[in-house]
Amino acid sequence: ALARKNLLARTVVLKLRYATFETVTRSETRKPATGSADEIRDRALALVTRTEAGARPVRLLGVSLHGLAAPSEAGEGPAAEAADLLPLE
C-alpha cells in the first residue's frame, strides 16, 4: 500500500496483546524514512524481541506505520538529492 501511494514511513509500531489481555506497545523511529517491506518486517521483528512474546502466550499482534511522507517531504528521492547539491550562501 505504501508503494501504491508513493509513501515512506519513519516509525514502525508494534502492538502486542498477551493471553491475559495485557497490551504492550513498542515503536522505533528512524531517518531516513523507508518504503521497503523487508526493512519494515525486520524492524517489526526486532520490536517483538523487546517483548516477552517468546515467554508468554500472545493473543494478538499488530504492526502499524506512522510518520508517513512522500519521498520529497521525507528528505529523500531526486528532489531532495538535487537540493543537497545546491550551494549554501
Side-chain angles (χ1 to χ4, degrees):
L2 285 178
R4 269 196 320 260
K5 296 186 180 204
N6 194 30
L7 291 173
L8 303 174
R10 286 188 186 95
T11 304
V12 176
V13 178
L14 171 83
K15 184 178 273 191
L16 188 137
R17 182 166 296 146
Y18 297 107
T20 60
F21 287 90
E22 177 188 352
T23 303
V24 296
T25 303
R26 302 289 183 265
S27 66
E28 179 187 52
T29 301
R30 285 190 193 169
K31 285 186 180 180
T34 186
S36 164
D38 290 337
E39 184 176 344
I40 292 166
R41 180 202 61 227
D42 292 345
R43 289 171 61 185
L45 289 172
L47 291 171
V48 170
T49 65
R50 293 174 34 198
T51 69
E52 298 176 30
R56 295 175 60 184
V58 173
R59 178 179 196 83
L60 177 75
L61 184 139
V63 176
S64 59
L65 303 173
H66 298 265
L68 302 179
S72 60
E73 296 169 357
E76 299 179 20
E81 290 168 13
D84 289 340
L85 297 176
L86 297 175
L88 296 175
E89 296 183 33

Coordinates of all heavy atoms in Angstrom, one line a residue:
A1 N 0.8 -1.2 0.0 CA 0.0 0.0 0.0 C 0.9 1.3 0.0 O 0.5 2.3 -0.6 CB -0.9 0.0 1.2
L2 N 2.0 1.2 0.7 CA 2.9 2.4 0.7 C 3.4 2.7 -0.7 O 3.4 3.8 -1.1 CB 4.1 2.1 1.6 CG 3.9 2.2 3.1 CD1 5.2 1.9 3.8 CD2 3.4 3.5 3.5
A3 N 3.8 1.6 -1.4 CA 4.3 1.8 -2.8 C 3.2 2.4 -3.7 O 3.5 3.3 -4.5 CB 4.9 0.5 -3.4
R4 N 2.0 1.9 -3.6 CA 0.9 2.4 -4.4 C 0.6 3.9 -4.2 O 0.3 4.6 -5.1 CB -0.4 1.6 -4.1 CG -0.6 0.4 -4.9 CD -2.1 -0.1 -4.8 NE -2.6 0.0 -3.5 CZ -2.8 -1.0 -2.7 NH1 -2.4 -2.2 -3.0 NH2 -3.3 -0.8 -1.5
K5 N 0.8 4.3 -3.0 CA 0.5 5.7 -2.7 C 1.8 6.5 -2.7 O 1.8 7.7 -2.3 CB -0.2 5.8 -1.3 CG -1.5 5.2 -1.4 CD -2.3 5.4 -0.1 CE -3.7 4.7 -0.3 NZ -4.7 5.3 0.6
N6 N 2.9 5.9 -3.0 CA 4.2 6.6 -3.1 C 4.6 7.2 -1.7 O 4.9 8.4 -1.7 CB 4.3 7.5 -4.2 CG 5.7 8.0 -4.5 OD1 6.7 7.2 -4.3 ND2 5.9 9.2 -5.0
L7 N 4.5 6.5 -0.6 CA 4.7 7.0 0.7 C 5.9 6.2 1.4 O 6.1 5.1 1.0 CB 3.5 6.9 1.6 CG 2.3 7.8 1.2 CD1 1.1 7.4 2.1 CD2 2.7 9.2 1.4
L8 N 6.5 6.9 2.3 CA 7.5 6.3 3.1 C 7.1 6.4 4.6 O 6.4 7.3 4.9 CB 8.9 7.0 2.9 CG 9.4 7.0 1.4 CD1 10.6 7.8 1.3 CD2 9.7 5.6 0.9
A9 N 7.6 5.6 5.4 CA 7.3 5.6 6.8 C 8.5 5.8 7.7 O 9.5 5.1 7.4 CB 6.5 4.3 7.3
R10 N 8.4 6.6 8.7 CA 9.6 6.8 9.6 C 9.5 5.9 10.8 O 10.5 5.5 11.4 CB 9.6 8.3 10.1 CG 10.1 9.3 9.1 CD 10.3 10.6 9.7 NE 10.6 11.6 8.6 CZ 9.7 12.4 8.0 NH1 8.4 12.3 8.4 NH2 10.1 13.2 7.1
T11 N 8.2 5.7 11.3 CA 8.0 4.9 12.5 C 7.3 3.6 12.3 O 6.3 3.6 11.6 CB 7.2 5.8 13.5 OG1 7.9 7.0 13.7 CG2 7.1 5.1 14.9
V12 N 7.8 2.5 12.9 CA 7.1 1.2 12.9 C 6.7 1.0 14.3 O 7.5 1.2 15.3 CB 8.1 0.1 12.5 CG1 7.4 -1.2 12.6 CG2 8.6 0.3 11.1
V13 N 5.4 0.7 14.5 CA 4.8 0.5 15.8 C 4.3 -0.9 15.9 O 3.6 -1.4 15.0 CB 3.6 1.5 16.1 CG1 3.0 1.2 17.4 CG2 4.1 2.9 15.9
L14 N 4.6 -1.6 17.0 CA 4.2 -3.0 17.3 C 3.2 -2.9 18.5 O 3.6 -2.3 19.5 CB 5.4 -3.9 17.6 CG 5.0 -5.3 18.1 CD1 4.7 -6.2 17.0 CD2 6.1 -5.8 19.0
K15 N 2.1 -3.5 18.3 CA 1.1 -3.6 19.4 C 0.9 -5.1 19.7 O 0.6 -5.8 18.7 CB -0.2 -2.9 19.2 CG -1.1 -3.0 20.4 CD -2.4 -2.2 20.1 CE -2.2 -0.8 20.5 NZ -3.5 -0.1 20.5
L16 N 1.2 -5.5 20.9 CA 1.1 -6.9 21.2 C 0.2 -7.1 22.4 O 0.3 -6.4 23.4 CB 2.5 -7.4 21.5 CG 2.7 -8.9 21.7 CD1 3.9 -9.4 20.9 CD2 2.8 -9.3 23.1
R17 N -0.7 -8.1 22.3 CA -1.6 -8.4 23.4 C -1.4 -9.8 23.9 O -1.5 -10.8 23.1 CB -3.1 -8.2 23.0 CG -4.0 -8.4 24.2 CD -5.4 -7.9 23.9 NE -5.4 -6.5 23.8 CZ -6.2 -5.8 22.9 NH1 -7.1 -6.4 22.2 NH2 -6.0 -4.5 22.8
Y18 N -1.1 -10.0 25.1 CA -0.8 -11.3 25.7 C -2.2 -12.0 26.0 O -3.2 -11.4 25.9 CB 0.0 -11.2 27.0 CG 1.4 -10.6 26.8 CD1 1.7 -9.3 27.2 CD2 2.3 -11.4 26.2 CE1 2.9 -8.8 27.0 CE2 3.6 -10.8 25.9 CZ 3.9 -9.6 26.4 OH 5.1 -9.0 26.2
A19 N -2.1 -13.3 26.3 CA -3.3 -14.1 26.6 C -4.1 -13.5 27.7 O -5.3 -13.6 27.8 CB -2.9 -15.5 26.8
T20 N -3.4 -12.8 28.6 CA -4.0 -12.2 29.8 C -4.7 -10.9 29.5 O -5.2 -10.2 30.4 CB -3.0 -12.0 30.9 OG1 -2.0 -11.0 30.4 CG2 -2.3 -13.2 31.4
F21 N -4.7 -10.5 28.2 CA -5.2 -9.2 27.7 C -4.3 -8.0 28.1 O -4.7 -6.9 27.8 CB -6.7 -9.0 28.1 CG -7.6 -9.9 27.4 CD1 -7.9 -11.1 27.9 CD2 -8.1 -9.5 26.2 CE1 -8.8 -11.9 27.2 CE2 -9.0 -10.3 25.5 CZ -9.3 -11.5 26.0
E22 N -3.2 -8.2 28.7 CA -2.3 -7.1 28.9 C -1.7 -6.7 27.5 O -1.3 -7.6 26.7 CB -1.1 -7.6 29.8 CG 0.0 -6.5 30.0 CD 1.2 -7.0 30.7 OE1 1.2 -8.2 31.2 OE2 2.2 -6.3 30.8
T23 N -1.7 -5.4 27.3 CA -1.2 -4.9 26.0 C 0.0 -4.1 26.1 O 0.1 -3.3 27.0 CB -2.3 -4.1 25.3 OG1 -3.5 -4.9 25.2 CG2 -1.9 -3.6 23.9
V24 N 1.0 -4.3 25.3 CA 2.2 -3.5 25.2 C 2.4 -3.0 23.8 O 2.0 -3.6 22.9 CB 3.5 -4.3 25.7 CG1 3.3 -4.8 27.1 CG2 3.7 -5.5 24.8
T25 N 3.1 -1.8 23.8 CA 3.3 -1.2 22.5 C 4.8 -0.9 22.5 O 5.4 -0.4 23.5 CB 2.5 0.1 22.4 OG1 1.1 -0.2 22.5 CG2 2.7 0.7 21.0
R26 N 5.5 -1.1 21.4 CA 6.9 -0.8 21.1 C 6.9 -0.1 19.8 O 6.2 -0.4 18.9 CB 7.7 -2.0 21.1 CG 7.7 -2.9 22.3 CD 8.4 -2.2 23.5 NE 8.4 -3.0 24.7 CZ 7.5 -3.0 25.7 NH1 6.5 -2.1 25.6 NH2 7.6 -3.7 26.7
S27 N 7.8 0.9 19.7 CA 7.9 1.7 18.5 C 9.4 2.0 18.2 O 10.2 2.1 19.2 CB 7.1 2.9 18.4 OG 7.5 3.8 19.4
E28 N 9.7 2.3 17.0 CA 11.0 2.7 16.6 C 10.9 3.7 15.5 O 10.2 3.5 14.5 CB 11.9 1.6 16.2 CG 13.3 2.0 15.7 CD 14.1 0.8 15.1 OE1 13.5 0.2 14.2 OE2 15.2 0.6 15.6
T29 N 11.6 4.9 15.6 CA 11.6 5.9 14.6 C 13.0 6.0 14.0 O 13.9 6.1 14.8 CB 11.1 7.2 15.1 OG1 9.7 7.1 15.6 CG2 11.1 8.3 14.0
R30 N 13.1 6.0 12.7 CA 14.4 6.2 12.1 C 14.3 7.2 10.9 O 13.3 7.4 10.3 CB 14.8 4.9 11.4 CG 15.3 3.8 12.4 CD 15.9 2.7 11.6 NE 16.2 1.5 12.4 CZ 16.5 0.4 11.9 NH1 16.6 0.2 10.6 NH2 16.7 -0.6 12.7
K31 N 15.4 7.8 10.7 CA 15.6 8.6 9.5 C 16.7 8.0 8.7 O 17.7 7.6 9.3 CB 16.0 10.0 9.8 CG 14.8 10.8 10.4 CD 15.1 12.2 10.6 CE 14.0 13.0 11.1 NZ 14.3 14.4 11.3
P32 N 16.7 7.8 7.4 CA 15.6 8.3 6.6 C 14.4 7.3 6.7 O 14.5 6.2 7.1 CB 16.2 8.2 5.2 CG 17.2 7.1 5.3 CD 17.8 7.2 6.7
A33 N 13.3 7.8 6.2 CA 12.0 7.0 6.2 C 12.2 5.9 5.1 O 13.1 6.0 4.3 CB 10.8 7.9 5.8
T34 N 11.4 4.9 5.2 CA 11.6 3.7 4.3 C 10.2 3.3 3.7 O 9.2 3.5 4.4 CB 12.2 2.5 5.0 OG1 12.5 1.5 4.1 CG2 11.3 1.9 6.1
G35 N 10.3 2.7 2.6 CA 9.1 2.1 2.0 C 9.4 0.6 1.7 O 8.6 -0.1 1.1
S36 N 10.5 0.1 2.2 CA 10.9 -1.2 1.9 C 10.2 -2.2 2.8 O 10.3 -2.1 4.1 CB 12.5 -1.4 2.2 OG 12.8 -2.7 2.3
A37 N 9.5 -3.1 2.2 CA 8.8 -4.1 3.0 C 9.7 -5.0 3.8 O 9.4 -5.3 5.0 CB 7.9 -5.0 2.1
D38 N 10.9 -5.3 3.3 CA 11.9 -6.1 4.0 C 12.4 -5.3 5.3 O 12.5 -5.9 6.3 CB 13.1 -6.4 3.1 CG 12.7 -7.4 2.0 OD1 11.7 -8.2 2.2 OD2 13.4 -7.5 1.0
E39 N 12.7 -4.1 5.1 CA 13.1 -3.3 6.3 C 12.0 -3.1 7.3 O 12.3 -3.2 8.5 CB 13.6 -1.9 5.8 CG 14.2 -1.1 7.0 CD 14.8 0.2 6.6 OE1 15.1 0.4 5.4 OE2 15.0 1.0 7.5
I40 N 10.8 -2.9 6.9 CA 9.7 -2.8 7.8 C 9.5 -4.1 8.6 O 9.3 -4.1 9.8 CB 8.4 -2.3 7.1 CG1 8.6 -0.9 6.6 CG2 7.2 -2.5 8.0 CD1 7.5 -0.4 5.6
R41 N 9.6 -5.2 7.9 CA 9.5 -6.5 8.5 C 10.6 -6.7 9.5 O 10.3 -7.1 10.7 CB 9.5 -7.6 7.5 CG 9.4 -9.0 8.1 CD 9.9 -10.1 7.2 NE 11.3 -9.9 7.0 CZ 11.9 -10.0 5.7 NH1 11.2 -10.3 4.7 NH2 13.2 -9.7 5.6
D42 N 11.8 -6.4 9.1 CA 12.9 -6.6 10.0 C 12.8 -5.7 11.3 O 13.1 -6.2 12.4 CB 14.2 -6.3 9.3 CG 14.6 -7.3 8.2 OD1 13.9 -8.4 8.2 OD2 15.4 -7.0 7.4
R43 N 12.3 -4.5 11.1 CA 12.2 -3.6 12.2 C 11.1 -4.1 13.2 O 11.2 -4.1 14.4 CB 11.9 -2.2 11.8 CG 13.1 -1.5 11.1 CD 12.9 -0.2 10.5 NE 12.4 0.8 11.4 CZ 12.0 2.0 11.0 NH1 12.0 2.3 9.8 NH2 11.5 2.8 11.9
A44 N 10.0 -4.6 12.6 CA 8.9 -5.2 13.4 C 9.3 -6.4 14.2 O 9.0 -6.5 15.4 CB 7.7 -5.5 12.5
L45 N 10.1 -7.2 13.5 CA 10.6 -8.4 14.2 C 11.6 -8.0 15.4 O 11.6 -8.6 16.4 CB 11.3 -9.4 13.2 CG 10.4 -10.1 12.3 CD1 11.2 -10.8 11.2 CD2 9.5 -11.0 13.0
A46 N 12.4 -7.0 15.1 CA 13.3 -6.5 16.2 C 12.5 -6.0 17.4 O 12.8 -6.2 18.5 CB 14.2 -5.4 15.6
L47 N 11.3 -5.4 17.1 CA 10.5 -4.9 18.2 C 9.9 -6.0 19.0 O 9.7 -5.9 20.2 CB 9.4 -4.0 17.6 CG 9.8 -2.6 17.0 CD1 8.7 -1.9 16.3 CD2 10.4 -1.7 18.1
V48 N 9.5 -7.1 18.3 CA 9.0 -8.3 19.0 C 10.0 -8.8 20.0 O 9.6 -9.2 21.1 CB 8.6 -9.4 18.0 CG1 8.3 -10.7 18.7 CG2 7.4 -9.0 17.2
T49 N 11.3 -8.7 19.7 CA 12.3 -9.2 20.6 C 12.4 -8.4 21.9 O 12.9 -8.8 22.9 CB 13.7 -9.3 20.0 OG1 14.1 -8.0 19.6 CG2 13.7 -10.2 18.7
R50 N 11.8 -7.2 21.9 CA 11.8 -6.3 23.0 C 10.6 -6.5 23.9 O 10.2 -5.7 24.7 CB 11.9 -4.8 22.6 CG 13.2 -4.5 21.9 CD 13.3 -3.1 21.3 NE 12.6 -2.1 22.1 CZ 12.3 -0.9 21.5 NH1 12.6 -0.6 20.3 NH2 11.6 0.0 22.2
T51 N 9.9 -7.6 23.7 CA 8.7 -8.0 24.5 C 8.9 -9.4 25.1 O 10.0 -10.0 24.9 CB 7.4 -8.1 23.6 OG1 7.5 -9.2 22.7 CG2 7.2 -6.8 22.8
E52 N 7.9 -9.9 25.8 CA 8.0 -11.2 26.3 C 7.3 -12.3 25.4 O 6.9 -13.3 25.9 CB 7.4 -11.2 27.7 CG 8.1 -10.3 28.7 CD 7.4 -10.3 30.0 OE1 6.8 -11.3 30.5 OE2 7.5 -9.2 30.7
A53 N 7.2 -12.0 24.2 CA 6.4 -12.8 23.2 C 6.9 -14.3 23.2 O 6.1 -15.2 23.1 CB 6.5 -12.2 21.8
G54 N 8.2 -14.6 23.4 CA 8.6 -15.9 23.4 C 8.3 -16.7 24.7 O 8.2 -17.9 24.8
A55 N 8.2 -15.9 25.8 CA 8.0 -16.5 27.1 C 6.5 -16.5 27.6 O 6.2 -17.3 28.5 CB 8.8 -15.7 28.1
R56 N 5.7 -15.7 26.9 CA 4.3 -15.7 27.3 C 3.4 -15.9 26.1 O 3.7 -15.5 25.0 CB 3.9 -14.3 27.9 CG 4.7 -14.0 29.2 CD 4.5 -12.6 29.7 NE 3.0 -12.3 29.9 CZ 2.6 -11.1 30.3 NH1 3.4 -10.1 30.4 NH2 1.3 -10.9 30.5
P57 N 2.2 -16.5 26.3 CA 1.3 -16.7 25.1 C 0.8 -15.3 24.6 O 0.5 -14.4 25.4 CB 0.2 -17.5 25.7 CG 0.6 -18.1 27.0 CD 1.7 -17.1 27.5
V58 N 0.7 -15.2 23.3 CA 0.3 -14.0 22.6 C -1.1 -14.2 22.0 O -1.3 -15.2 21.3 CB 1.3 -13.6 21.6 CG1 0.8 -12.4 20.8 CG2 2.7 -13.2 22.2
R59 N -2.0 -13.3 22.2 CA -3.3 -13.3 21.7 C -3.4 -12.6 20.4 O -4.1 -13.0 19.5 CB -4.3 -12.8 22.7 CG -5.7 -12.7 22.3 CD -6.5 -12.1 23.5 NE -7.9 -12.4 23.3 CZ -8.5 -13.6 23.6 NH1 -7.8 -14.5 24.1 NH2 -9.8 -13.7 23.3
L60 N -2.7 -11.4 20.3 CA -2.9 -10.5 19.2 C -1.6 -9.8 18.9 O -0.9 -9.4 19.9 CB -4.0 -9.5 19.5 CG -4.3 -8.5 18.4 CD1 -5.0 -9.1 17.2 CD2 -5.1 -7.3 19.0
L61 N -1.2 -9.6 17.7 CA -0.1 -8.8 17.3 C -0.4 -8.0 16.1 O -1.0 -8.5 15.1 CB 1.1 -9.8 17.0 CG 2.4 -9.1 16.7 CD1 3.5 -9.9 17.3 CD2 2.6 -9.0 15.2
G62 N -0.1 -6.7 16.2 CA -0.3 -5.8 15.1 C 0.8 -4.9 14.8 O 1.6 -4.5 15.7
V63 N 1.0 -4.5 13.6 CA 2.1 -3.6 13.2 C 1.4 -2.4 12.4 O 0.6 -2.7 11.5 CB 3.1 -4.3 12.3 CG1 4.2 -3.3 11.8 CG2 3.8 -5.4 13.0
S64 N 1.8 -1.2 12.8 CA 1.3 -0.1 12.0 C 2.5 0.8 11.7 O 3.6 0.7 12.3 CB 0.3 0.7 12.8 OG 0.8 1.1 14.1
L65 N 2.3 1.7 10.8 CA 3.3 2.6 10.3 C 2.9 4.1 10.5 O 1.7 4.4 10.3 CB 3.6 2.4 8.8 CG 4.0 1.0 8.5 CD1 4.1 0.8 7.0 CD2 5.3 0.6 9.1
H66 N 3.8 4.9 11.0 CA 3.5 6.3 11.3 C 4.5 7.2 10.7 O 5.6 6.7 10.3 CB 3.3 6.5 12.8 CG 2.3 5.7 13.4 ND1 1.0 6.2 13.6 CD2 2.2 4.4 13.8 CE1 0.3 5.2 14.2 NE2 1.0 4.2 14.3
G67 N 4.3 8.5 10.7 CA 5.3 9.4 10.2 C 5.4 9.3 8.7 O 6.4 9.3 8.1
L68 N 4.2 9.1 8.0 CA 4.2 8.9 6.6 C 4.5 10.2 5.9 O 4.0 11.2 6.3 CB 2.8 8.3 6.1 CG 2.4 7.0 6.8 CD1 1.0 6.6 6.3 CD2 3.4 5.9 6.6
A69 N 5.2 10.0 4.8 CA 5.6 11.2 4.0 C 5.9 10.8 2.6 O 6.3 9.6 2.3 CB 6.8 12.0 4.6
A70 N 5.7 11.7 1.6 CA 6.1 11.5 0.3 C 7.7 11.5 0.3 O 8.3 12.2 1.1 CB 5.6 12.5 -0.7
P71 N 8.3 10.8 -0.7 CA 9.8 10.9 -0.7 C 10.4 12.3 -0.7 O 11.4 12.5 0.0 CB 10.1 10.1 -2.0 CG 9.0 9.2 -2.2 CD 7.8 10.0 -1.7
S72 N 9.8 13.2 -1.4 CA 10.3 14.6 -1.4 C 10.1 15.3 0.0 O 11.0 16.1 0.4 CB 9.6 15.4 -2.5 OG 8.2 15.5 -2.2
E73 N 9.1 14.9 0.7 CA 8.9 15.5 2.1 C 9.7 14.8 3.1 O 10.0 15.4 4.1 CB 7.4 15.4 2.5 CG 6.5 16.1 1.6 CD 5.0 15.8 1.9 OE1 4.8 14.9 2.7 OE2 4.1 16.3 1.3
A74 N 10.1 13.6 2.8 CA 10.9 12.8 3.8 C 12.4 13.1 3.7 O 13.2 12.5 4.4 CB 10.6 11.3 3.6
G75 N 12.8 14.0 2.8 CA 14.2 14.3 2.6 C 14.9 13.3 1.8 O 16.0 13.0 2.0
E76 N 14.1 12.6 0.9 CA 14.7 11.5 0.0 C 14.2 11.7 -1.4 O 13.3 12.5 -1.7 CB 14.2 10.2 0.5 CG 14.7 9.9 1.9 CD 14.2 8.6 2.4 OE1 13.9 7.7 1.6 OE2 14.1 8.4 3.6
G77 N 14.8 11.0 -2.3 CA 14.4 11.0 -3.7 C 15.1 12.0 -4.5 O 15.9 12.8 -3.9
P78 N 14.8 12.1 -5.8 CA 15.6 13.0 -6.6 C 15.5 14.5 -6.2 O 16.5 15.2 -6.3 CB 14.9 12.8 -8.0 CG 14.2 11.5 -7.9 CD 13.9 11.3 -6.4
A79 N 14.3 14.9 -5.8 CA 14.2 16.4 -5.4 C 15.1 16.7 -4.2 O 15.8 17.7 -4.2 CB 12.7 16.7 -5.1
A80 N 15.1 15.8 -3.3 CA 16.0 16.1 -2.1 C 17.4 16.0 -2.5 O 18.3 16.7 -2.0 CB 15.6 15.1 -1.0
E81 N 17.8 15.0 -3.3 CA 19.2 14.8 -3.7 C 19.6 16.1 -4.5 O 20.7 16.5 -4.3 CB 19.3 13.6 -4.6 CG 19.2 12.3 -3.8 CD 19.0 11.1 -4.6 OE1 19.3 11.2 -5.8 OE2 18.7 10.0 -4.1
A82 N 18.8 16.6 -5.3 CA 19.1 17.8 -6.1 C 19.3 19.0 -5.1 O 20.2 19.8 -5.3 CB 18.1 18.1 -7.1
A83 N 18.5 19.1 -4.1 CA 18.6 20.2 -3.2 C 19.9 20.1 -2.4 O 20.5 21.1 -2.0 CB 17.4 20.1 -2.2
D84 N 20.4 18.9 -2.1 CA 21.6 18.7 -1.4 C 22.8 19.2 -2.2 O 23.8 19.5 -1.7 CB 21.8 17.2 -1.1 CG 20.9 16.7 0.0 OD1 20.3 17.6 0.7 OD2 20.7 15.5 0.1
L85 N 22.6 19.3 -3.5 CA 23.7 19.7 -4.4 C 23.8 21.2 -4.5 O 24.8 21.8 -5.0 CB 23.6 19.1 -5.8 CG 23.7 17.6 -5.8 CD1 23.4 17.1 -7.3 CD2 25.0 17.1 -5.4
L86 N 22.8 21.9 -4.1 CA 22.7 23.4 -4.3 C 23.7 24.0 -3.3 O 23.8 23.6 -2.1 CB 21.3 23.9 -4.1 CG 20.3 23.4 -5.0 CD1 18.9 24.0 -4.6 CD2 20.6 23.9 -6.5
P87 N 24.4 25.0 -3.7 CA 25.4 25.7 -2.8 C 24.6 26.5 -1.7 O 23.6 27.1 -2.0 CB 26.2 26.5 -3.7 CG 25.4 26.8 -4.9 CD 24.5 25.6 -5.0
L88 N 25.1 26.5 -0.5 CA 24.6 27.3 0.6 C 25.2 28.7 0.5 O 26.4 28.8 0.4 CB 24.8 26.6 1.9 CG 24.1 25.3 2.1 CD1 24.5 24.7 3.4 CD2 22.6 25.4 2.0
E89 N 24.4 29.7 0.7 CA 25.0 31.1 0.7 C 24.8 31.7 2.0 O 24.0 31.5 2.8 CB 24.3 31.9 -0.4 CG 24.6 31.3 -1.8 CD 24.0 32.1 -2.9 OE1 24.0 33.4 -2.8 OE2 23.7 31.5 -3.9

